[in-house]
Amino acid sequence: MDTFDHVIVGGGIMGASIAYHLMQKGARSVLLLERNELASAASCQAAGLVLQASTKPSKTPLAKLTIDTLLHLEEELAESVGYHMVGSLRIAASEKCAIELDAMAKDAASRNIPIEWPDLSDIRQMVPWLDISNIQKTAFLPSDGYIDPYLLTISYANAARARGAVIRTRTNVCGVVKDAEKVVGVLTDHGPIACGTVIDACGVWAALFAEKVGYSLPMAPVRSHYWIIQPDRTYGGEHPVTILPDVAAYTRPEVGGLVLGVQEANSVTFNARNLPEDLSGFSPTLGEEHWDILANAYEDLSQFFPAIENAHFSSYICGLSSYTPDGEILLGPVPGISGFYVAAGDCGSGITLSAGIGDAIADLALEQTPQFNMEPFRPDRFGPVDPHGDHFRELCAAARASKSRQIISHS
């Protein structure tokens, strides 16, 4: 029977990052198991934003570590990981968002994250298509940017493999073996594997996997989506990611065009028990309803992006993210079950937080003290929950909808 010190279940960006950080910190043997292919679910559908400051200061140091790790990965692999360090322009057009922006800027500065305060002339040069007439305050974080999430996942995996990690795809984990309340192995469709720790990095299925050890993980799958606008000289070229919290939207460059993300006022959730094991043929959106969502946002978006009236949309990408009721991630040991750890509930920030998550879980699995405050991320902070129930899923949907939303008035 195969034996490993650490078994990671889930080959998305979190699982790959954890494998890399475990090996980086000196783990003796690490096995990453994925039932499909690496980065074949939520990781490959993400918009790929890497943003270091948010309304959740607890996440900032994890995001900062991701930026630092991208540079180390490129040196280690001797190849690009595809990071576009174009910066992010955080725009406030209301007093509420201006106050939030000040708090984010203070948090970023306290952690030595570069931040600038561009004037209107600077903003026009940075993003020529942006209508600045409603703007009250703007901050620019030059080290933010965007990345291909599939390429980053593969980069973590390649770096982990180069350090000695074993990665097996097309391997389904169907059970966790315990001795009393201690994890001692996993059962797969290719046979049993003995191990000392099991790390649940199963993405939108993480709650289902946690049920194998009798724990109800407080998270729910929630729809996330974005549109791709065809190339146009009006808004083509590299420019900063723009974050527009007043209209719950963002943009980033996309090969001469734009990626446009819009948050829903009422986010759609799913019962994880009803999800297929392979999301490649699954769509969280029915028919053409996404055009209605975009049409409802047009008036708000046009206040900042007047050219949207003539924009041609080439693609619509929808996927699933895992949300918790408070918008904080789930990171750490499951109480009462020694050796079982969770890295889940990324709340739409899995790419941004990937290195921080990997670093923290690696420390815990190696019985070291993480460099981050882990209290906000405790998996047991909500007490007993039914993660598949309608009420709990509504709480997660509300967290998604309020991630950064305040519609400005049309006066």
Side-chain angles (χ1 to χ4, degrees), residues 254-269:
E254 175 67 12
V255 195
L258 282 178
V259 164
L260 171 64
V262 178
Q263 289 177 218
E264 302 175 72
N266 299 293
S267 300
V268 178
T269 67

Side-chain angles (χ1 to χ4, degrees), residues 148-160:
D148 179 337
Y150 175 83
L151 181 57
L152 178 56
T153 303
I154 299 303
S155 296
Y156 279 133
N158 287 342

Side-chain angles (χ1 to χ4, degrees), residues 232-296:
D232 189 288
R233 62 182 182 182
T234 303
Y235 38 75
E238 286 282 73
H239 53 72
V241 174
T242 64
I243 308 298
L244 304 163
D246 289 278
V247 293
Y250 68 83
T251 73
R252 72 157 174 81
E254 175 67 12
V255 195
L258 282 178
V259 164
L260 171 64
V262 178
Q263 289 177 218
E264 302 175 72
N266 299 293
S267 300
V268 178
T269 67
F270 295 83
N271 185 330
R273 290 172 175 160
N274 298 330
L275 295 177
E277 292 187 351
D278 185 347
L279 292 181
S280 59
F282 173 78
S283 175
T285 301
L286 299 176
E288 300 296 312
E289 67 173 335
H290 63 93
W291 295 119
D292 293 333
I293 297 168
L294 186 59
N296 291 335

Side-chain angles (χ1 to χ4, degrees), residues 89 116-123 126 138-140:
L89 205 57
E116 302 169 6
W117 298 95
D119 59 25
L120 294 181
S121 176
D122 294 329
I123 297 170
M126 290 179 178
T138 303
F140 178 63

Side-chain angles (χ1 to χ4, degrees), residues 48-293:
L49 305 186
V50 183
L51 307 173
Q52 295 170 92
S54 72
T55 55
K56 300 286 186 182
S58 55
K59 298 178 180 180
T60 306
L62 283 74
K64 185 175 187 295
L65 183 60
T66 297
I67 297 289
D68 296 338
T69 301
L70 295 179
L71 303 179
H72 294 309
L73 267 179
E74 291 191 337
E75 293 176 0
E76 196 166 323
L77 295 170
E79 61 186 24
S80 173
V81 299
Y83 182 49
H84 300 257
M85 192 181 289
V86 295
S88 71
L89 205 57
R90 312 298 185 92
I91 297 164
S94 65
E95 183 178 358
K96 176 181 181 296
C97 287
I99 292 171
E100 288 181 348
L101 183 56
D102 283 336
M104 280 191 281
K106 183 177 180 180
D107 176 50
S110 72
R111 303 181 192 279
N112 296 316
I113 296 173
I115 188 164
E116 302 169 6
W117 298 95
D119 59 25
L120 294 181
S121 176
D122 294 329
I123 297 170
R124 285 193 188 96
Q125 289 187 332
M126 290 179 178
V127 189
W129 52 261
L130 184 68
D131 186 333
I132 61 176
S133 58
N134 288 317
I135 294 176
Q136 289 194 15
K137 182 172 290 190
T138 303
F140 178 63
L141 281 74
S143 55
D144 284 356
Y146 67 96
I147 196 167
D148 179 337
Y150 175 83
L151 181 57
L152 178 56
T153 303
I154 299 303
S155 296
Y156 279 133
N158 287 342
R161 191 183 285 113
R163 287 175 174 266
V166 177
I167 298 176
R168 295 177 184 168
T169 58
R170 297 296 170 181
T171 303
N172 187 40
V173 180
C174 44
V176 178
V177 182
K178 296 188 295 180
D179 181 0
E181 295 306 314
K182 172 74 173 73
V183 167
V184 295
V186 296
L187 301 175
T188 81
D189 54 2
H190 296 292
I193 298 169
C195 62
T197 66
V198 173
I199 299 167
D200 180 354
C202 295
V204 294
W205 300 277
L208 295 181
F209 189 75
E211 289 176 354
K212 296 183 187 299
V213 295
Y215 191 78
S216 294
L217 199 60
M219 51 162 274
V222 180
R223 179 171 69 185
S224 296
H225 52 200
Y226 56 89
W227 293 259
I228 298 178
I229 302 175
Q230 290 180 0
D232 189 288
R233 62 182 182 182
T234 303
Y235 38 75
E238 286 282 73
H239 53 72
V241 174
T242 64
I243 308 298
L244 304 163
D246 289 278
V247 293
Y250 68 83
T251 73
R252 72 157 174 81
E254 175 67 12
V255 195
L258 282 178
V259 164
L260 171 64
V262 178
Q263 289 177 218
E264 302 175 72
N266 299 293
S267 300
V268 178
T269 67
F270 295 83
N271 185 330
R273 290 172 175 160
N274 298 330
L275 295 177
E277 292 187 351
D278 185 347
L279 292 181
S280 59
F282 173 78
S283 175
T285 301
L286 299 176
E288 300 296 312
E289 67 173 335
H290 63 93
W291 295 119
D292 293 333
I293 297 168

